[in-house]
Structure formats: C-alpha cells, structure tokens
Amino acid sequence: MRNILFLFLLLTLTACASGEPADPKLEEAAVLHEEALQAEEALRPMLERLEHRHNQIRVQGRALTAEEQSFLQSVSQLQQRFAQWKEERIEVPGHEHAHHHDHDHGHGHTHGKKMPEATPEHMLNIQRESLDSILVLKGAAEALFKP
C-alpha cells in the first residue's frame, strides 16, 4: 500500500511539475488548432476524389467544355490553397504532440511551424484564422461536388 501511495504521489508531482499554469487563451487556441486538423482530415478524401475526377477529365480525347475547364482550374486552385494552408499553419506552444488520429495515414505528424514568440492573444487569433481558412477550403471542395 505504501508503494502505491508513493507511486501516486510521484506521478502527481511529475504531472504538476510543468511549471506555469496553462493560459486559457492558449488552451482555446489548442482547441481551435485541433478543430482545424479535424477539418483537414475531412478535406483530404474530398481532395483525392476531386483530383481523380480532375485526372479523368484531362485524359479525354476531345476539346473540353467551358464547365470542364472551369472545374479543372477550380480543383488546381483548391489544391494550391490547401498546400499553402498546410505550409502556413502554426503549432500552439505546449500542444505540439497532443494530436490524436484514429486512422493510419501517410502524412507526417508535424502539424505546423513553431512560433514561440507569439503572445497567447496572437496565437488565438492565428488559430481562428487557420480554422476559418480550412473551413472555407472544405466548403469550396464540397461546392465542387454539387451539380
């Protein structure tokens, strides 16, 4: 019993030894960052399907209609905007390895650049903008599936 109590005390002290209490704005920023990553995971299969459709249209042996050309351009732009979003996303300090994935995937586990000099308020604004941006991209992808 004494060993169990000692182990519990040791684990409690270790968990609390991180020093400063978490800033509520950083905690909210981390939640927004996680939401953005979930939106990204929902967007990936849509982009794959759009790319497949894009490739099918491109290999046709005839002149493309204006609608098909517009679709090809929209998919290309969406892919570029998604790549830029991934390149520009910023990790929330202290939450770099807090991501949980329920699937097996091939992309890396770095979910953004580090920006330790950002204030908690600035980090919160960065994460709001990142979430808004990925949701706009997701909406654009969804719109391309509608007739």
Side-chain angles (χ1 to χ4, degrees), residues 26-92:
L26 285 180
E27 293 299 318
E28 184 179 351
V31 169
L32 295 176
H33 182 75
E34 191 63 36
E35 286 179 32
L37 293 177
Q38 290 172 5
E40 175 191 7
E41 291 301 318
L43 178 57
R44 282 181 183 280
M46 286 190 273
L47 288 174
E48 289 172 8
R49 291 193 335 251
L50 288 170
E51 183 174 6
H52 179 73
R53 195 164 142 201
H54 177 279
N55 292 340
Q56 287 178 327
I57 291 172
R58 287 186 56 101
V59 298
Q60 296 187 23
R62 60 170 174 77
L64 301 179
T65 67
E67 184 178 281
E68 290 170 328
Q69 291 174 354
S70 176
F71 174 81
L72 294 178
Q73 183 177 12
S74 295
V75 171
S76 293
Q77 288 174 346
L78 184 60
Q79 289 171 326
Q80 290 170 353
R81 290 170 51 205
F82 177 66
Q84 182 178 1
W85 177 85
K86 286 188 343 181
E87 181 68 29
E88 293 176 352
R89 68 183 164 196
I90 305 291
E91 285 278 359
V92 178

Side-chain angles (χ1 to χ4, degrees), residues 20-30 92-93 95 119-121 124:
E20 301 174 25
D23 186 294
K25 289 182 180 179
L26 285 180
E27 293 299 318
E28 184 179 351
V92 178
H95 298 275
T119 65
E121 182 70 31
L124 181 57

Side-chain angles (χ1 to χ4, degrees), residues 124-137:
L124 181 57
N125 288 334
I126 289 169
Q127 297 306 323
R128 282 182 182 140
E129 290 176 20
S130 179
L131 177 59
D132 289 347
S133 294
I134 194 70
L135 291 176
V136 166
L137 294 176

